[in-house]
Each structure stands twice: as C-alpha cells, then as structure tokens.
Amino acid sequence: GEDVEQSLFLSVREGDSSVINCTYTDSSSTYLYWYKQEPGAGLQLLTYIFSNMDMKQDQRLTVLLNKKDKHLSLRIADTQTGDSAIYFCAERVRAGKSTFGDGTTLTVKP
Amino acid sequence: GAVVSQHPSWVICKSGTSVKIECRSLDFQATTMFWYRQFPKQSLMLMATSNEGSKATYEQGVEKDKFLINHASLTLSTLTVTSAHPEDSSFYICSADPQDLLPTYEQYFGPGTRLTVT
C-alpha cells in the first residue's frame, strides 16, 4: 500500500535554505505535491512534480525527485519568517485519493 | 479561480447534538469531493470520498452512520456529524476535484472547519 513519511521538525535561521524531505512507497505513475498549512488554515498547494521528472524550480522553491529511492525534497531558498508553517508532502495516483505525510513543522528564527 | 469554501469556519456544539458542515466549490463544478479530518499537529486522515449523485465511499474505520455525507449537487457536499461527542472535536477539511480535472490531478482544498464538542 501507499505510505508517505516525513521528518517532523526543521528549524532554520532567516535567510538560510530549508530542505524538507519525504519518502513515498507507491510505485505507480503519480503526482507528488507539497502543501503549506498555517495555523488554523487549510492547505495551500505550493508546487507539484510528476513522478517521471527529476526536478522542478519555481521561484524560491526547488523540488527534487529521486525515483529510484522514492525520495522527494523541497528546498526553500532564502527562508523567511513567513515561511514558518507545517509542510505536507502528498502523493496521488491519477484521480484516486491522496496520501499525506505527517507534516514537517518548519520554524524560522530571526 | 478554483475556490472551495467551507461553512461554518468554526462551531461549538453540545455533546449529543448534530452538526452540519458545508463544502462548496464556488467557481467550478466538482464531481468528486473528499472529506478529511485532522487532529492537532497530525496529518490529514481521509474519511470519505463523495461523488455527486451517489453514495459516499467511506474509509475503513469511519462510521458512515455517524458521519453522514451528502453530495447533492455539483457544487455542494455536506458532512453531518450526528450525536457528536467530545472525541469528534477536530479540524475537518474538504477538497474538490473539478469536473475537468487538470492533468496534474490537483485538488482544491477548503479552509477547514474547527469543531469543538463540549
């Protein structure tokens, strides 16, 4: 079955880069997503990558995908205090249900 | 575009009463909507998949008689928590698939509803 795992906490200083890691197990063709959740709010889609891609860059965000190891990472360049939130990775096989990781709490210290 | 709303955003109810939460797609038609539950500092747990005009599909361990889901139109799905108990207190989030699902299979999430049962 599908399973998505993330490290639970990450703390960085403002201006540094943050790297959040995720592993997944489903080997089907799939999309992988990164969501941001601020306290008391819903999920905001940050970016996504298809499982046949290696990398995707979108402004300060870089997604790297290692298909062999089923490892996904999200790098946030020049991290700001406003980036403090919980980040979820998720996988979805076509129009089926999404499976979410447990979330990584990112704390950005000034 | 692609906005999903939830109402109410928060609700407090007494134990034993029922609470209805609405999920609306505001600018698109949604054939499929999903209901999630999230406990503090935990991940989203899928409760059920709701398809317009048919019965919802519940995940294992979710009581369908307790969590009633109705997807009566292409823009509205409702979740009714019946005979609520304090352990039902949680953050409930819905998401919607547009009728013309993008090739990225992107889901659109509502802002969530905080339910507190006293």
Side-chain angles (χ1 to χ4, degrees), chain A residues 11-105:
Chain A
S11 180
V12 300
R13 292 215 171 270
E14 194 173 20
D16 288 349
S17 292
S18 307
V19 179
I20 303 171
N21 295 300
C22 172
T23 57
Y24 63 98
T25 58
D26 200 303
S27 58
S28 308
S29 296
T30 187
Y31 273 94
L32 297 148
Y33 309 86
W34 283 104
Y35 293 92
K36 177 183 181 182
Q37 185 180 36
E38 299 191 46
L43 271 68
Q44 173 195 354
L45 178 67
L46 291 177
T47 188
Y48 60 87
I49 190 168
F50 189 55
S51 58
N52 69 354
M53 297 170 64
D54 298 321
M55 185 185 98
K56 181 178 180 182
Q57 185 158 1
D58 185 0
Q59 298 182 327
R60 290 193 297 127
L61 305 178
T62 302
V63 179
L64 293 178
L65 177 60
N66 181 325
K67 293 180 287 295
K68 174 176 171 289
D69 295 337
K70 295 189 175 64
H71 180 266
L72 180 73
S73 68
L74 173 69
R75 178 177 180 269
I76 306 173
D78 187 25
T79 314
Q80 304 296 307
T81 54
D83 294 324
S84 293
I86 301 177
Y87 291 81
F88 291 96
C89 67
E91 67 172 348
R92 188 177 193 193
V93 179
R94 292 181 289 281
K97 63 182 183 181
S98 295
T99 303
F100 290 84
D102 287 337
T104 299
T105 299

Side-chain angles (χ1 to χ4, degrees), chain B residues 36-39 43-45 47 67 87-88 90-92:
Chain B
Y36 296 87
R37 181 174 182 177
Q38 185 181 31
F39 291 104
S43 188
L44 279 72
M45 181 193 80
M47 299 175 67
F67 299 99
E87 56 265 31
D88 298 325
S90 192
F91 194 53
Y92 292 87

Side-chain angles (χ1 to χ4, degrees), chain A residues 33 35 45 48 92, chain B residues 2 96-98 101-108:
Chain A
Y33 309 86
Y35 293 92
L45 178 67
Y48 60 87
R92 188 177 193 193
Chain B
D97 277 349
L101 190 60
L102 294 172
T104 59
Y105 301 106
E106 179 180 344
Q107 289 178 276
Y108 300 108

Side-chain angles (χ1 to χ4, degrees), chain B residues 69-115:
Chain B
I69 291 172
N70 185 2
H71 193 159
S73 78
L74 285 172
T75 59
L76 174 64
S77 176
T78 60
L79 167 67
T80 302
V81 183
T82 62
S83 186
H85 290 282
E87 56 265 31
D88 298 325
S89 298
S90 192
F91 194 53
Y92 292 87
I93 303 176
C94 72
S95 71
D97 277 349
Q99 232 177 354
D100 298 321
L101 190 60
L102 294 172
T104 59
Y105 301 106
E106 179 180 344
Q107 289 178 276
Y108 300 108
F109 284 85
T113 296
R114 171 78 57 195
L115 170 64

